[in-house]
mmCIF file of all heavy atoms in Angstrom:
data_model
loop_
_atom_site.group_PDB
_atom_site.id
_atom_site.type_symbol
_atom_site.label_atom_id
_atom_site.label_comp_id
_atom_site.label_asym_id
_atom_site.label_seq_id
_atom_site.Cartn_x
_atom_site.Cartn_y
_atom_site.Cartn_z
ATOM 1 N N LEU A 419 -33.788 -5.159 -0.504
ATOM 2 C CA LEU A 419 -32.938 -5.419 0.640
ATOM 3 C C LEU A 419 -31.637 -6.079 0.173
ATOM 4 O O LEU A 419 -31.647 -7.198 -0.332
ATOM 5 C CB LEU A 419 -33.629 -6.280 1.677
ATOM 6 C CG LEU A 419 -34.865 -5.711 2.347
ATOM 7 C CD1 LEU A 419 -35.615 -6.782 3.151
ATOM 8 C CD2 LEU A 419 -34.483 -4.528 3.222
ATOM 9 N N LEU A 420 -30.526 -5.375 0.415
ATOM 10 C CA LEU A 420 -29.220 -5.978 0.133
ATOM 11 C C LEU A 420 -28.680 -6.592 1.404
ATOM 12 O O LEU A 420 -28.611 -5.893 2.439
ATOM 13 C CB LEU A 420 -28.232 -4.890 -0.359
ATOM 14 C CG LEU A 420 -26.812 -5.337 -0.751
ATOM 15 C CD1 LEU A 420 -26.865 -6.280 -1.965
ATOM 16 C CD2 LEU A 420 -25.959 -4.122 -1.068
ATOM 17 N N VAL A 421 -28.321 -7.850 1.356
ATOM 18 C CA VAL A 421 -27.939 -8.611 2.544
ATOM 19 C C VAL A 421 -26.540 -9.209 2.375
ATOM 20 O O VAL A 421 -26.259 -9.798 1.326
ATOM 21 C CB VAL A 421 -28.949 -9.722 2.824
ATOM 22 C CG1 VAL A 421 -28.575 -10.462 4.171
ATOM 23 C CG2 VAL A 421 -30.394 -9.171 2.951
ATOM 24 N N ALA A 422 -25.750 -9.057 3.410
ATOM 25 C CA ALA A 422 -24.420 -9.761 3.469
ATOM 26 C C ALA A 422 -24.685 -11.183 3.956
ATOM 27 O O ALA A 422 -24.970 -11.369 5.176
ATOM 28 C CB ALA A 422 -23.445 -9.042 4.371
ATOM 29 N N ASP A 423 -24.646 -12.172 3.054
ATOM 30 C CA ASP A 423 -24.865 -13.551 3.372
ATOM 31 C C ASP A 423 -23.512 -14.173 3.762
ATOM 32 O O ASP A 423 -22.890 -14.875 2.926
ATOM 33 C CB ASP A 423 -25.511 -14.212 2.165
ATOM 34 C CG ASP A 423 -26.023 -15.617 2.472
ATOM 35 O OD1 ASP A 423 -26.044 -16.013 3.672
ATOM 36 O OD2 ASP A 423 -26.411 -16.336 1.496
ATOM 37 N N THR A 424 -23.083 -13.927 4.937
ATOM 38 C CA THR A 424 -21.683 -14.205 5.364
ATOM 39 C C THR A 424 -21.255 -15.624 5.088
ATOM 40 O O THR A 424 -20.190 -15.877 4.522
ATOM 41 C CB THR A 424 -21.463 -13.771 6.784
ATOM 42 O OG1 THR A 424 -21.898 -12.441 7.017
ATOM 43 C CG2 THR A 424 -20.001 -13.923 7.209
ATOM 44 N N GLY A 425 -22.019 -16.549 5.598
ATOM 45 C CA GLY A 425 -21.663 -17.976 5.492
ATOM 46 C C GLY A 425 -21.561 -18.465 4.094
ATOM 47 O O GLY A 425 -20.776 -19.423 3.811
ATOM 48 N N ASN A 426 -22.328 -17.885 3.180
ATOM 49 C CA ASN A 426 -22.280 -18.285 1.779
ATOM 50 C C ASN A 426 -21.304 -17.402 0.938
ATOM 51 O O ASN A 426 -21.248 -17.595 -0.244
ATOM 52 C CB ASN A 426 -23.689 -18.220 1.110
ATOM 53 C CG ASN A 426 -24.562 -19.292 1.651
ATOM 54 O OD1 ASN A 426 -24.153 -20.434 1.863
ATOM 55 N ND2 ASN A 426 -25.860 -18.964 1.846
ATOM 56 N N ARG A 427 -20.614 -16.485 1.581
ATOM 57 C CA ARG A 427 -19.555 -15.665 0.993
ATOM 58 C C ARG A 427 -20.108 -14.919 -0.244
ATOM 59 O O ARG A 427 -19.496 -14.857 -1.317
ATOM 60 C CB ARG A 427 -18.401 -16.528 0.551
ATOM 61 C CG ARG A 427 -17.772 -17.329 1.660
ATOM 62 C CD ARG A 427 -16.565 -18.128 1.255
ATOM 63 N NE ARG A 427 -15.992 -18.875 2.367
ATOM 64 C CZ ARG A 427 -14.870 -19.634 2.229
ATOM 65 N NH1 ARG A 427 -14.274 -19.719 1.087
ATOM 66 N NH2 ARG A 427 -14.425 -20.254 3.298
ATOM 67 N N ARG A 428 -21.228 -14.228 -0.015
ATOM 68 C CA ARG A 428 -21.872 -13.484 -1.134
ATOM 69 C C ARG A 428 -22.789 -12.404 -0.627
ATOM 70 O O ARG A 428 -23.009 -12.308 0.655
ATOM 71 C CB ARG A 428 -22.704 -14.484 -1.981
ATOM 72 C CG ARG A 428 -23.834 -15.094 -1.151
ATOM 73 C CD ARG A 428 -24.733 -16.000 -1.959
ATOM 74 N NE ARG A 428 -25.830 -16.495 -1.125
ATOM 75 C CZ ARG A 428 -26.889 -17.215 -1.592
ATOM 76 N NH1 ARG A 428 -26.922 -17.554 -2.847
ATOM 77 N NH2 ARG A 428 -27.872 -17.575 -0.793
ATOM 78 N N LEU A 429 -23.279 -11.619 -1.486
ATOM 79 C CA LEU A 429 -24.349 -10.673 -1.186
ATOM 80 C C LEU A 429 -25.625 -11.088 -1.950
ATOM 81 O O LEU A 429 -25.490 -11.616 -3.064
ATOM 82 C CB LEU A 429 -23.963 -9.234 -1.526
ATOM 83 C CG LEU A 429 -23.275 -8.463 -0.359
ATOM 84 C CD1 LEU A 429 -21.868 -9.031 -0.127
ATOM 85 C CD2 LEU A 429 -23.156 -6.999 -0.676
ATOM 86 N N VAL A 430 -26.799 -10.893 -1.396
ATOM 87 C CA VAL A 430 -28.049 -11.269 -2.071
ATOM 88 C C VAL A 430 -29.031 -10.137 -1.940
ATOM 89 O O VAL A 430 -28.934 -9.310 -1.062
ATOM 90 C CB VAL A 430 -28.603 -12.559 -1.457
ATOM 91 C CG1 VAL A 430 -27.737 -13.770 -1.774
ATOM 92 C CG2 VAL A 430 -28.822 -12.430 0.030
ATOM 93 N N LEU A 431 -30.011 -10.155 -2.840
ATOM 94 C CA LEU A 431 -31.100 -9.183 -2.826
ATOM 95 C C LEU A 431 -32.386 -9.906 -2.465
ATOM 96 O O LEU A 431 -32.714 -10.992 -2.995
ATOM 97 C CB LEU A 431 -31.215 -8.520 -4.216
ATOM 98 C CG LEU A 431 -30.245 -7.402 -4.553
ATOM 99 C CD1 LEU A 431 -30.421 -6.973 -6.004
ATOM 100 C CD2 LEU A 431 -30.364 -6.235 -3.638
ATOM 101 N N TYR A 432 -33.172 -9.253 -1.604
ATOM 102 C CA TYR A 432 -34.485 -9.694 -1.277
ATOM 103 C C TYR A 432 -35.476 -8.559 -1.486
ATOM 104 O O TYR A 432 -35.074 -7.384 -1.415
ATOM 105 C CB TYR A 432 -34.553 -10.152 0.202
ATOM 106 C CG TYR A 432 -34.160 -11.553 0.512
ATOM 107 C CD1 TYR A 432 -32.818 -11.904 0.566
ATOM 108 C CD2 TYR A 432 -35.115 -12.581 0.695
ATOM 109 C CE1 TYR A 432 -32.424 -13.189 0.841
ATOM 110 C CE2 TYR A 432 -34.733 -13.889 0.959
ATOM 111 C CZ TYR A 432 -33.381 -14.170 1.021
ATOM 112 O OH TYR A 432 -33.026 -15.481 1.292
ATOM 113 N N SER A 433 -36.724 -8.905 -1.733
ATOM 114 C CA SER A 433 -37.761 -7.863 -1.790
ATOM 115 C C SER A 433 -38.122 -7.477 -0.359
ATOM 116 O O SER A 433 -37.826 -8.203 0.588
ATOM 117 C CB SER A 433 -38.995 -8.404 -2.508
ATOM 118 O OG SER A 433 -39.698 -9.313 -1.691
ATOM 119 N N THR A 434 -38.853 -6.397 -0.184
ATOM 120 C CA THR A 434 -39.307 -5.982 1.138
ATOM 121 C C THR A 434 -40.476 -6.786 1.643
ATOM 122 O O THR A 434 -41.026 -6.545 2.711
ATOM 123 C CB THR A 434 -39.687 -4.467 1.165
ATOM 124 O OG1 THR A 434 -40.569 -4.203 0.088
ATOM 125 C CG2 THR A 434 -38.390 -3.616 0.969
ATOM 126 N N GLN A 435 -40.839 -7.819 0.828
ATOM 127 C CA GLN A 435 -41.893 -8.787 1.303
ATOM 128 C C GLN A 435 -41.233 -10.155 1.622
ATOM 129 O O GLN A 435 -41.908 -11.069 1.927
ATOM 130 C CB GLN A 435 -42.915 -8.986 0.195
ATOM 131 C CG GLN A 435 -43.900 -7.842 -0.006
ATOM 132 C CD GLN A 435 -43.207 -6.678 -0.731
ATOM 133 O OE1 GLN A 435 -42.496 -6.867 -1.713
ATOM 134 N NE2 GLN A 435 -43.412 -5.510 -0.213
ATOM 135 N N GLY A 436 -39.860 -10.169 1.588
ATOM 136 C CA GLY A 436 -39.159 -11.355 2.015
ATOM 137 C C GLY A 436 -38.914 -12.378 0.907
ATOM 138 O O GLY A 436 -38.508 -13.516 1.161
#
Side-chain angles (χ1 to χ4, degrees):
L419 295 171
L420 181 65
V421 182
D423 190 9
T424 306
N426 289 322
R427 303 182 180 183
R428 63 178 183 172
L429 271 68
V430 292
L431 282 174
Y432 275 80
S433 73
T434 52
Q435 288 73 47

